[in-house]
Amino acid sequence: GDFDTVMNTVAKAVEKGPWLLGEQFTAADVVIGANIRWGTMFKLLPERPEFSAYAARIAARPAAKRAEDKDKGMAQK
């Protein structure tokens, strides 16, 4: 495949939501979610509404918020 085909496939997978396997959050969401968040943060992935919405759902999870708080705490030291 090529880059555009991969991006279209990933976008289609995350657009239905809320998670890759429907209502159940799984390890696949941890892996894909981290890559989408990182890729969009550093502008390595194209800006797509499907990616933005999925990344926002990932970031809103309680565990993601706790991890972000820990990161901020370590950065202040």
Side-chain angles (χ1 to χ4, degrees), residues 39-52:
T40 54
M41 194 181 324
F42 292 101
K43 311 255 186 253
L44 299 171
L45 294 179
E47 291 185 24
R48 296 181 69 143
E50 302 94 329
F51 295 163
S52 297

Side-chain angles (χ1 to χ4, degrees), residues 9 20 22-23 38 40 44 48 59 61 64 68 73 75:
T9 301
L20 290 171
E23 295 297 318
W38 193 85
T40 54
L44 299 171
R48 296 181 69 143
R61 290 187 51 81
E68 186 175 336

Side-chain angles (χ1 to χ4, degrees), residues 27-71:
D29 293 294
V30 173
V31 173
I32 299 299
N35 282 287
I36 287 176
R37 287 183 74 197
W38 193 85
T40 54
M41 194 181 324
F42 292 101
K43 311 255 186 253
L44 299 171
L45 294 179
E47 291 185 24
R48 296 181 69 143
E50 302 94 329
F51 295 163
S52 297
Y54 183 69
R57 291 191 300 270
I58 293 283
R61 290 187 51 81
K65 290 180 179 180
R66 287 191 306 270
E68 186 175 336
D69 289 343
K70 285 183 179 181
D71 284 347

